[in-house]
Amino acid sequence: KQEVTQIPAALSVPEGENLVLNCSFTDSAIYNLQWFRQDPGKGLTSLLLIQSSQREQTSGRLNASLDKSSGRSTLYIAASQPGDSATYLCAVTPISSGSARQLTFGSGTQLTVLP
Amino acid sequence: DGGITQSPKYLFRKEGQNVTLSCEQNLNHDAMYWYRQDPGQGLRLIYYSQIVNDFQKGDIAEGYSVSREKKESFPLTVTSAQKNPTAFYLCASRGGTSPLRSNEQFFGPGTRLTVL
């Protein structure tokens, strides 16, 4: 059964610092990997989607990489800002989910960027 | 504006009551999902539907029921059989027309259910 792990569970950094969030998954048979942002009490906002055939995706100050063979993904945030403070969730779509394409989530990393 | 709406934002239930959470999307997506989120945990799948009038149980379906009579709507009923229903409930949909985006899920703002 696919499992997704995110370490650390919480991270505090000073404003302006570049940072990396980590995500690992146990089964490399995936369709894709998605990174989401969740603000307190809110729904999830999709940040980046990486197809299984891709190595990375970029959007603004965000860059996500995927190493399927090692079961790892990283989310790189450049020049962090207090507005980046949120919980970041990683999720994969296992090939075993078939046409349902249901996501398997990690438990998230809670990021705090200090002014 | 295309998106997913959920109502109500907050819901309070007395023990023994059934309650229904609403989820509506105008993205013309075929697939819809219900997830439950507990503090400090990832999301867990309750039910999903790939097409109108069809739905399947997810990992934690016990004590929940759904219907999919219209493409736009996928309501979730939390029954009295659900022993620990206090949680944050999130609805999602999937179905972009681009092959690259067809697997991307989009989420609503959530409903926080509290049992009194």
Side-chain angles (χ1 to χ4, degrees):
Chain A
K1 182 184 175 184
Q2 177 75 263
E3 292 184 3
V4 180
T5 304
Q6 292 183 251
I7 295 173
L11 179 65
S12 289
V13 300
E15 182 177 4
E17 193 164 294
N18 301 327
L19 61 99
V20 174
L21 305 181
N22 295 297
C23 172
S24 62
F25 47 96
T26 54
D27 187 347
S28 61
I30 61 171
Y31 286 113
N32 56 52
L33 182 143
Q34 245 179 299
W35 281 95
F36 294 91
R37 169 185 173 136
Q38 185 176 32
D39 292 293
K42 306 290 186 184
L44 276 63
T45 300
S46 180
L47 297 174
L48 290 163
L49 171 73
I50 311 176
Q51 304 291 347
S52 63
S53 58
Q54 297 175 320
R55 298 284 293 185
E56 65 178 354
Q57 280 287 335
T58 298
S59 176
R61 294 183 293 110
L62 305 180
N63 176 278
S65 69
L66 175 63
D67 184 342
K68 212 172 59 164
S69 60
S70 68
R72 292 182 181 181
S73 176
T74 62
L75 179 66
Y76 174 84
I77 303 177
S80 58
Q81 303 170 358
D84 294 329
S85 298
T87 296
Y88 291 81
L89 292 156
C90 164
V92 299
T93 306
I95 288 177
S96 60
S97 66
S99 60
R101 299 289 198 270
Q102 61 209 65
L103 292 169
T104 300
F105 281 85
S107 54
T109 294
Q110 185 175 351
L111 173 66
T112 302
V113 180
L114 304 169
Chain B
D1 251 351
I4 303 174
T5 57
Q6 291 186 242
S7 62
K9 185 174 181 180
Y10 299 98
L11 186 57
F12 298 91
R13 189 194 94 168
K14 293 182 180 178
E15 288 201 20
Q17 277 183 338
N18 293 353
V19 292
T20 297
L21 284 60
S22 169
C23 176
E24 303 278 333
Q25 55 99 0
N26 61 5
L27 299 168
N28 200 31
H29 285 173
D30 288 316
M32 296 186 74
Y33 305 81
W34 274 105
Y35 294 90
R36 169 182 172 139
Q37 186 178 34
D38 294 283
Q41 297 189 31
L43 280 68
R44 292 182 291 168
L45 183 66
I46 304 172
Y47 266 98
Y48 64 94
S49 168
Q50 297 183 72
I51 197 169
V52 173
N53 292 323
D54 183 65
F55 47 83
Q56 304 295 328
K57 293 181 179 179
D59 299 323
I60 54 166
E62 185 174 352
Y64 300 98
S65 66
V66 294
S67 64
R68 186 85 187 275
E69 298 177 359
K70 298 187 300 182
K71 187 175 185 177
E72 303 80 17
S73 179
F74 190 39
L76 173 74
T77 297
V78 185
T79 75
S80 56
Q82 170 49 236
K83 298 306 178 189
N84 185 23
T86 294
F88 191 49
Y89 291 85
L90 289 154
C91 178
S93 72
R94 176 184 64 80
T97 52
S98 160
L100 289 178
R101 311 300 289 190
S102 62
N103 289 331
E104 188 172 11
Q105 288 194 24
F106 296 90
F107 283 77
T111 292
R112 184 164 300 280
L113 173 64
T114 303
V115 174
L116 302 174

